[in-house]
Amino acid sequence: MSLLEVVDLEAGYGDVLIVRGASIHVEPGEIVTIIGPNGAGKSTLLKAAFGLIDIASGTVRFKEQDVTRMPAHRLVEMGAAFVPQTDNVFPRLSIRENLEMGAFRRKGGTTERIEELLGRFPDLGSRPGEQAGRLSGGQRQTLAMCRALMLDPSLLLVDEPTAALSPAARQDLFRQIQSIRDSGVAILMVEQNAREALEISDRGYVLVNGAVALEDRAEAMLTNEDIGRMFLGRSEVTG
Amino acid sequence: MDFVQLIIIGIVVGSVVGLGAMGLTLTFGILKFANFAHGDMMTLGMFTAFAVLGVVRGPTLEPFSIPAGLILAVLVAGSAVALLAASLDRLIYRRLRRRGSALITMAIASLGIAIMTRAVVQLIWGPLPKRYSGGINPSWSIGELRVKPDQLLIVGLTLVLAVVLYLLLYRTKLGKAMRATADNAQLADVAGIDTERIRQATWAIAGFLIAAAGVMFALQAQLRYDAGFEFLLPMFAAVILGGIGNPWGALAGGLIVGISQETSTYWIPSGFKAGIPFVLLIAMLIARPRGLFGSTF
Amino acid sequence: MLEAIMGLAMSLGDPTFLVTFQGAVNWSVGFLTTVAIFAIVVLGLNVQWGYTGILNFGVVAFFMVGAYTSALLTLGPATGFNAYILGLDLPVLVGWLGAALAGALLALLVGLPTLRLRLDFLAIATIGIAEILRTFARSGNGLVNRNEGLNGIPGFLAGTVDRGDYKWLLLAIALASLLLVYLLVRAATESPWGRVLRAIRDNEATAQAAGKRTTVYRLQAFVLGGAIMGFAGALYAHRIGAISPPGFTDLFGTFLPYTMLIVGGAGNHRGVILGSLVVGFFWFGTPLVQESLPDAIGTNVFVWRQFFVGLLVVMFILWLPKGLIAEEARVSRFLPRVAGGPSLRARITGRFRAE
């Protein structure tokens, strides 16, 4: 059974359709990456699946339940979480308070969960009272993901997590994403750094013009010549 | 009048302005629009307390001039205005939010609500001024200076409410969620915070504070149906001085407004002191539009 | 109260006056003159709010400045117990010009520090100007004659017709002025300049990206609107002949024009003139039927109509946000008209941005 199933989704802003009939699915415990050219509708697809954008037609199912057009906070209750690309922490709240906000709907065990996450990510754990607005880009991304993990979700939607990061911070973040998956959380991610993202992924989608142009296993995509030429940089294509 | 005496009066006036401005800055920070009905909610608060005093009066609480019933009256007026403010959000502002109306449209709606509220006050209590008590409140002398116990009560209550508000915003889950919503409402939604409930709570808190400010004002002056509206500009000046969304800044801003307004009469005719908040506001917008203390909570 | 002076003074005491033909004519002439002056104010407001999205909550201040300026320029020097500045005995037309300039100047003074910032800062700054001007007028010794106000303001072309017929001339002057202002604002808002204003209102970022200095355009629109309001104030002063600070209330001079604008349909000149007529009829007409209303309402008719005007604004914003006549949405006069209004979404702030 699929954890998340998006079928023939059409979504956009006002009268402008950006996602035009896209279908994707995510299985429990896997990392799935969506790549594609700018303006293909990758982020819009992610936001629409999470109920943040008007859906024109199509269905979204999460844990076998129809969640199409369901408000975000209901999805959060059901065990999905979303990490926006930008503005993804509360800048004037401390690190600890940011995590508390992630647990707004949690019944009990909040303090333990915060300690657990602070222990797992020492960058944050070393100064839990710091205002989130003072953190570096990479630390913010980490905090944003920890905030999303506060309710023990089974699915994490991540929108271009490495967009503003240095190559070193990017490596760290991808490692963190892998470790999150290893703890049993499925991850659906939109990424511009296609090669690095696919290297840690199980499967991938290429989204073009709001529709899925190709779906494959990640290692197959890494060796696909067309994809290599278009999204991975030709010179890097091997074999 | 002696300059130091003017400062004392300024602190009293500034406390009332600051108390009202704390609520105004909360709604500004979280709802994101300027609520022009805030002044008339103040009027409604002071008159509701007047109505309660008509039923429950009790003995005068020495050394203040206030009757014991005023304690109940503050609580009733505060709750009533809190309830009204939250209901208006439900009836009007939430509809506009869902429709994606411009924030400035909500500001116009709030002016409509202000006009209606003022009309309601006149319909219920008539056009004539009222008073809480006929008694006078003899001053205490400290050297050359004179301070009325009532004035100390106004400053004291403002400080107590400011501390309560601090504890609420920094020590409770609701308060932290309010700060989070002010920071980034979309992220708060995504994180699973029921931001609509947070907005209602914000209205209620602002309503309670402004009603209390209204009662404090009426301890020193007559109740008039347009009294609150005249506080609107000083309160906004305090909000801008302190930085939008910053309650402590608003309190400090209120004190600055009150003190400069009263001490200005040392140099200029008192008829012109109403212009001082405006001058402060414009000077602030020119020099530091983000406020003296920034919009940090 | 101002409204008691305006047009209705002669009628309120006598409920039977409408029964006579002459009474009805008198009331209608006075009413239409008042509505025409209000419509000019509302056209000025339409340039500011309807076209540019500038929220000016101090309309009555511009109106008052215009009224006082024109009066001070056209009155003779102060005599007896009166004490005011100027008193230059200039022709009325010069006074009107001065009034427009004074309105423009006030707009410049308020707009310069505030218009480069968030739009609600201007609304906040303007909410207090009227009260301050009233206070200054009341308290300033030798400034504008304090609470006694200015009296004996000369009427325009007053000596040219019979006293009994002058009301017709006043109506003609007011209607001609309205037509003039209407043609002026229509020309301005349909020009390329007007298109930039709408572009700024609907999507400031895009207008900026197109290289438009949005603050300058906003300031120009604000000043034009202020000049028009000042001119309307002058028309008013010369019509009633006597002005004083308590007459310029926020309710009457700021909120009523907003109601007319919102009811008529912001951004549409003909719509807001219709709005002035409809809301004006409600506002000035209710006292006429006071006698036939139930006692509970009749004794408080002035307060009840205030309540209903507030309610009207809220209801229109909720259920008929485009007003009676919606703004025509069009890209250019050379392109076919588009159905529906301009994109409200363009004004949404704080939503997730599109990719």
Side-chain angles (χ1 to χ4, degrees):
Chain A
M1 111 189 180
S2 293
L3 187 60
L4 177 76
E5 250 189 300
V6 175
V7 185
D8 296 330
L9 194 72
E10 292 194 318
Y13 298 87
D15 302 330
V16 187
L17 275 190
I18 295 171
V19 176
R20 302 187 180 92
S23 300
I24 58 169
H25 65 99
V26 180
E27 305 303 317
E30 66 171 355
I31 300 183
V32 177
T33 296
I34 305 173
I35 63 172
N38 280 329
K42 306 185 293 289
S43 293
T44 309
L45 171 58
L46 210 61
K47 288 172 194 164
F50 202 68
L52 298 172
I53 282 177
D54 298 338
I55 291 174
S57 70
T59 40
V60 181
R61 271 192 293 274
F62 180 57
K63 293 184 176 170
E64 308 274 274
Q65 263 194 58
D66 189 344
V67 297
T68 318
R69 298 186 189 89
M70 199 176 263
H73 67 88
R74 297 275 303 281
L75 270 150
V76 172
E77 276 174 345
M78 289 175 63
F82 181 82
V83 183
Q85 180 190 343
T86 54
D87 299 327
N88 51 18
V89 297
F90 301 108
R92 287 176 290 204
L93 268 59
S94 69
I95 290 177
R96 184 181 289 276
E97 286 173 336
N98 262 277
L99 296 178
E100 283 176 41
M101 289 302 103
F104 191 78
R105 290 186 175 259
R106 194 182 170 106
K107 314 249 186 295
T110 302
T111 324
E112 291 77 6
R113 179 70 174 158
I114 290 176
E115 293 310 327
E116 183 199 333
L117 284 169
L118 287 177
R120 236 165 91 190
F121 300 95
D123 245 14
L124 308 176
S126 59
R127 45 182 173 161
E130 181 91 356
Q131 274 202 347
R134 294 169 195 254
L135 299 177
S136 74
Q139 291 163 338
R140 277 188 204 212
Q141 280 297 344
T142 308
L143 176 58
M145 284 200 294
C146 287
R147 192 270 304 150
L149 292 174
M150 278 303 294
L151 290 174
D152 307 299
S154 43
L155 173 68
L156 197 58
L157 308 179
V158 192
D159 191 2
E160 303 208 18
T162 67
L165 300 189
S166 69
R170 212 150 71 203
Q171 287 300 325
D172 282 349
L173 199 86
F174 281 129
R175 262 197 298 278
Q176 286 170 10
I177 290 175
Q178 266 180 308
S179 90
I180 291 169
R181 189 264 311 272
D182 293 344
S183 67
V185 183
I187 290 160
L188 174 63
M189 148 169 84
V190 165
E191 251 302 328
Q192 293 284 3
N193 296 297
R195 168 173 296 280
E196 286 161 288
L198 286 172
E199 275 166 359
I200 63 160
S201 299
D202 299 291
R203 289 187 304 113
Y205 290 92
V206 177
L207 203 68
V208 177
N209 260 331
V212 172
L214 190 136
E215 170 193 357
D216 209 338
R217 300 205 50 76
E219 55 260 41
M221 286 175 81
L222 281 165
T223 54
N224 180 313
E225 263 192 48
D226 289 337
I227 294 177
R229 197 170 56 245
M230 284 188 288
F231 304 115
L232 307 177
R234 182 191 269 181
S235 61
E236 295 180 55
V237 177
T238 52
Chain B
M1 211 188 288
D2 188 29
F3 192 74
V4 184
Q5 193 67 43
L6 288 175
I7 293 182
I8 291 176
I9 299 173
I11 291 173
V12 176
V13 174
S15 295
V16 176
V17 175
L19 191 51
M22 282 196 290
L24 185 59
T25 207
L26 275 184
T27 50
F28 211 159
I30 291 168
L31 281 303
K32 305 291 178 207
F33 72 89
N35 173 26
F36 288 93
H38 203 59
D40 289 287
M41 291 293 148
M42 180 177 181
T43 314
L44 189 64
M46 65 178 87
F47 274 94
T48 308
F50 175 81
V52 175
L53 280 181
V55 183
V56 189
R57 206 164 173 91
T60 303
L61 294 176
E62 300 286 350
F64 309 112
S65 75
I66 61 162
L70 197 73
I71 297 168
L72 180 71
V74 172
L75 294 175
V76 171
S79 313
V81 176
L83 189 69
L84 176 70
S87 316
L88 287 172
D89 183 72
R90 201 67 186 271
L91 283 172
I92 296 166
Y93 300 119
R94 192 173 71 169
R95 285 169 201 262
L96 294 174
R97 272 200 299 280
R98 294 213 166 140
R99 195 191 295 156
S101 290
L103 295 169
I104 211 99
T105 307
M106 300 190 196
I108 296 190
S110 76
L111 191 68
I113 291 169
I115 299 289
M116 285 163 73
T117 309
R118 210 176 314 164
V120 167
V121 168
Q122 289 177 76
L123 286 173
I124 299 178
W125 289 283
L128 297 177
K130 307 267 185 286
R131 267 193 179 286
Y132 283 162
S133 74
I136 48 154
N137 188 219
S139 300
W140 289 339
S141 294
I142 307 161
E144 296 278 286
L145 302 174
R146 289 171 311 283
V147 181
K148 290 181 182 179
D150 283 1
Q151 295 176 324
L152 292 176
L153 181 71
I154 293 171
V155 178
L157 187 84
T158 301
L159 291 178
V160 167
L161 287 175
V163 170
V164 171
L165 186 63
Y166 176 86
L167 293 175
L168 179 87
L169 287 173
Y170 282 86
R171 296 282 185 270
T172 69
K173 196 169 167 179
L174 170 70
K176 288 173 187 176
M178 281 170 65
R179 288 162 55 216
T181 308
D183 253 10
N184 187 339
Q186 291 77 42
L187 185 61
D189 266 327
V190 166
I193 296 172
D194 186 348
T195 50
E196 283 304 325
R197 229 185 70 204
I198 300 300
R199 292 190 180 98
Q200 296 227 318
T202 306
W203 279 112
I205 293 166
F208 190 93
L209 290 174
I210 192 61
V215 177
M216 291 302 110
F217 165 80
L219 287 184
Q220 288 266 295
Q222 289 186 322
L223 293 83
R224 282 176 292 108
Y225 66 84
D226 55 356
F229 185 71
E230 285 170 13
F231 263 82
L232 197 55
L233 183 73
M235 288 192 291
F236 270 123
V239 167
I240 307 273
L241 274 168
I244 293 171
N246 181 342
W248 335 119
L251 180 58
L255 289 170
I256 294 173
V257 167
I259 293 171
S260 16
Q261 193 173 309
E262 295 309 317
T263 51
S264 74
T265 59
Y266 197 72
W267 295 283
I268 59 172
S270 66
F272 291 102
K273 76 176 177 188
I276 297 293
F278 182 73
V279 172
L280 281 173
L281 177 73
I282 295 290
M284 202 60 201
L285 291 181
I286 293 170
R288 247 181 103 95
R290 299 187 66 86
L292 288 174
F293 314 102
S295 354
T296 323
F297 261 85
Chain C
M1 257 186 152
L2 189 58
E3 51 267 41
I5 307 164
M6 297 185 71
L8 294 167
M10 68 273 186
S11 56
L12 275 177
D14 174 15
T16 59
F17 82 101
L18 270 184
V19 179
T20 68
F21 176 72
Q22 193 53 41
V25 169
N26 281 344
W27 186 83
S28 306
V29 171
F31 167 73
L32 287 175
T33 312
T34 305
V35 164
I37 293 174
F38 261 98
I40 294 173
V41 175
V42 178
L43 283 175
L45 191 57
N46 202 25
V47 174
Q48 295 180 342
W49 164 249
Y51 277 83
T52 325
I54 299 171
L55 198 51
N56 172 8
F57 277 161
V59 177
V60 71
F62 296 86
F63 190 75
M64 180 178 170
V65 159
Y68 268 93
T69 305
S70 189
L72 290 169
L73 289 174
T74 54
L75 278 169
T79 52
F81 290 113
N82 294 319
Y84 50 83
I85 54 168
L86 299 176
L88 300 180
D89 221 352
L90 292 168
V92 173
L93 281 175
V94 180
W96 290 0
L97 191 67
L101 285 175
L105 190 69
L106 181 64
L108 201 62
L109 283 176
V110 180
L112 268 178
T114 50
L115 275 175
R116 68 196 163 91
L117 304 164
R118 300 171 46 150
L119 280 182
D120 38 13
F121 284 178
L122 184 103
I124 293 168
T126 47
I127 193 93
I129 316 182
E131 174 59 19
I132 289 163
L133 288 182
R134 279 193 300 269
T135 312
F136 282 16
R138 266 200 307 269
S139 329
N141 247 334
L143 197 61
V144 291
N145 213 25
R146 307 185 62 162
N147 257 351
E148 285 70 46
L150 303 173
N151 302 292
I153 303 165
F156 183 50
L157 302 176
T160 55
V161 292
D162 270 10
R163 263 184 94 78
D165 290 334
Y166 186 54
K167 61 176 180 289
W168 291 101
L169 183 57
L170 273 176
L171 177 61
I173 293 167
L175 289 175
S177 306
L178 175 60
L179 182 68
L180 200 75
V181 172
Y182 169 72
L183 293 174
L184 172 81
V185 295
R186 200 184 63 171
T189 49
E190 289 195 353
S191 69
W193 180 77
R195 269 205 298 282
V196 177
L197 292 186
R198 281 195 297 270
I200 292 170
R201 180 196 64 188
D202 292 338
N203 194 335
E204 181 168 9
T206 309
Q208 263 169 348
K212 303 299 180 190
R213 290 186 304 167
T214 53
T215 307
V216 175
Y217 278 91
R218 279 219 189 94
L219 193 61
Q220 288 167 349
F222 190 53
V223 167
L224 175 61
I228 292 170
M229 292 168 191
F231 170 59
L235 282 178
Y236 164 76
H238 291 274
R239 179 207 173 185
I240 64 167
I243 52 175
S244 64
F248 297 92
T249 65
D250 292 285
L251 178 64
F252 183 72
T254 297
F255 194 69
L256 199 55
Y258 261 103
T259 311
M260 292 166 166
L261 184 84
I262 288 165
V263 167
N268 181 313
H269 298 311
R270 264 172 286 185
V272 301
I273 293 174
L274 175 70
S276 306
L277 190 67
V278 172
V279 175
F281 189 72
F282 170 74
W283 186 263
F284 297 108
T286 31
L288 300 180
V289 291
Q290 185 173 16
E291 296 289 319
S292 43
L293 292 170
D295 270 2
I297 294 173
T299 50
N300 275 320
V301 72
F302 290 100
V303 185
W304 274 106
R305 76 176 174 181
Q306 175 185 341
F307 178 83
F308 277 111
V309 164
L311 188 65
L312 207 59
V313 165
V314 174
M315 286 184 0
F316 265 77
I317 287 176
L318 280 177
W319 290 301
L320 207 56
K322 287 177 180 156
L324 294 174
I325 307 182
E327 177 183 359
E328 293 165 0
R330 55 184 185 181
V331 182
S332 151
R333 78 171 84 186
F334 304 110
L335 288 173
R337 294 181 183 188
V338 196
S343 168
L344 265 179
R345 281 178 179 274
R347 294 203 230 167
I348 302 174
T349 49
R351 279 203 153 197
F352 272 106
R353 287 182 296 275
E355 290 187 281

